[in-house]
Amino acid sequence: MNQNFKKLLRTLQVNFHYLLETKFSLMRFYRNKLGIPFEADFKALHLFPDTDGALYLDIGANRGQSTDAILMQTKNSHIQMFEPSELLCKKLEGLYGDNKRIVINKFGLGAQAAEQDLYTPFYKKWMFDGLSSFDEAEAREWLVDGIFFFEEERLTLQKTHCQIKTLDELDLNPFFIKIDIQGYELQAIKGGREMIKTHEPILLIEQPNDDIVSYLKNLGYELYAYANGRFTSGTNGYPNTFFMTKSKAALVKEFINQ
């Protein structure tokens, strides 16, 4: 979608904050009814073996968009969601609390165990929960160029005290990990270094920077873009990039453009 058009929609919607939950409910109903994941990259998951009990991690679960996409593409997986926002965890419990395939973890992931404040921006009372960040300055700056006629006095931040853990301390064996945590992706990866080295999970990361690419290459990973039913090696995707080791890429080698 054109960035200026997205900016226009964002500018319009903040004037109707009372429709926030209605918007997400209708979007979720539409996607699930038609089997359309919120991002096309998740369609790639159906190319991998749907092994019974395979573990998928949704790091930065937000409102469950990625979890819904995983459920669409797999029938036998188990999913662990990670979301540090108390506001969003309550919504996730309402959506998935009775689903035996899903575990909701009410904490964030980082390079080391800690306690930290999470900042969620509100503009004209519209909650931009997808832009929550542990960095106060980043949470405050996300919308400056994201809304037409931005007025700083209409922006507020809600601070929530959160627990941070590391992937390594959780002793998990995931097949797939999605990470979208507003600039803290590398910290979460570093906190799971031993787990990643041992189990070589497939990674899906939103707009990875050069530091992430370099770090994962040192762990034996190659980056892949996914589009039109095929992976292309050695290039970034948009908005997400897959990372796979040779053993995982071998599972879909007939769908890879070299």
Side-chain angles (χ1 to χ4, degrees), residues 4 27 47 80 115 139 156 158 161 169 182 184 192 197 242 249 252 254:
N4 282 332
M27 289 175 63
L47 300 178
Q80 290 210 24
E115 292 188 2
T156 60
Q158 178 171 308
H161 197 63
E169 71 181 277
Q182 298 301 318
Y184 274 69
K197 287 173 59 178
F242 282 86
V252 290
E254 66 268 37

Side-chain angles (χ1 to χ4, degrees), residues 50-251:
D50 190 11
T51 307
D52 188 38
L55 179 60
Y56 287 61
L57 305 185
D58 182 358
I59 300 176
N62 194 246
R63 290 173 176 264
Q65 301 96 316
S66 296
T67 289
D68 280 342
I70 294 168
L71 291 171
M72 288 177 198
Q73 303 299 321
T74 69
K75 301 302 180 185
N76 301 302
S77 64
H78 289 257
I79 302 169
Q80 290 210 24
M81 309 172 80
F82 297 86
E83 177 53 56
S85 168
E86 181 180 353
L87 289 171
L88 293 178
C89 282
K90 289 179 180 178
K91 299 181 187 300
L92 294 175
E93 286 179 334
L95 293 173
Y96 306 103
D98 295 329
N99 193 321
K100 295 181 179 180
R101 291 173 60 188
I102 296 174
V103 173
I104 303 169
N105 296 291
K106 302 175 185 179
F107 53 83
L109 293 168
Q112 56 189 12
E115 292 188 2
Q116 202 164 346
D117 290 327
L118 180 73
Y119 298 91
T120 301
F122 285 72
Y123 191 82
K124 291 185 178 181
K125 298 183 180 181
W126 185 283
M127 179 173 66
F128 286 90
D129 44 77
L131 300 180
S132 297
S133 176
F134 291 116
D135 186 315
E136 181 178 4
E138 287 189 1
R140 189 175 295 280
E141 292 167 4
W142 282 119
L143 293 172
V144 173
D145 295 320
I147 292 178
F148 288 113
F149 316 114
F150 176 82
E151 299 176 76
E152 187 173 0
E153 63 272 16
R154 295 186 179 273
L155 175 70
T156 60
L157 297 181
Q158 178 171 308
K159 182 170 71 173
T160 307
H161 197 63
C162 302
Q163 185 179 18
I164 307 297
K165 296 186 180 183
T166 68
L167 277 171
D168 281 342
E169 71 181 277
L170 301 178
D171 193 26
L172 301 174
N173 178 6
F175 175 77
F176 171 87
I177 305 175
K178 162 257 169 176
I179 312 177
D180 180 3
I181 46 178
Q182 298 301 318
Y184 274 69
E185 289 82 2
L186 183 56
Q187 287 89 332
I189 292 167
K190 288 181 175 179
R193 180 182 176 89
E194 295 308 313
M195 179 272 289
I196 291 171
K197 287 173 59 178
T198 300
H199 300 297
E200 301 182 3
I202 299 161
L203 304 174
L204 182 63
I205 302 174
E206 184 180 54
Q207 298 182 6
N209 59 30
D210 291 342
D211 290 338
I212 291 174
V213 173
S214 176
Y215 190 89
L216 289 174
K217 281 192 172 183
N218 286 333
L219 295 180
Y221 280 81
E222 180 61 90
L223 65 163
Y224 295 84
Y226 175 79
N228 302 317
R230 300 190 65 84
F231 294 97
T232 300
S233 64
T235 184
N236 279 301
Y238 183 82
N240 307 291
T241 299
F242 282 86
F243 290 83
M244 294 184 280
T245 60
K246 289 182 179 179
S247 65
K248 291 302 191 294
L251 298 175

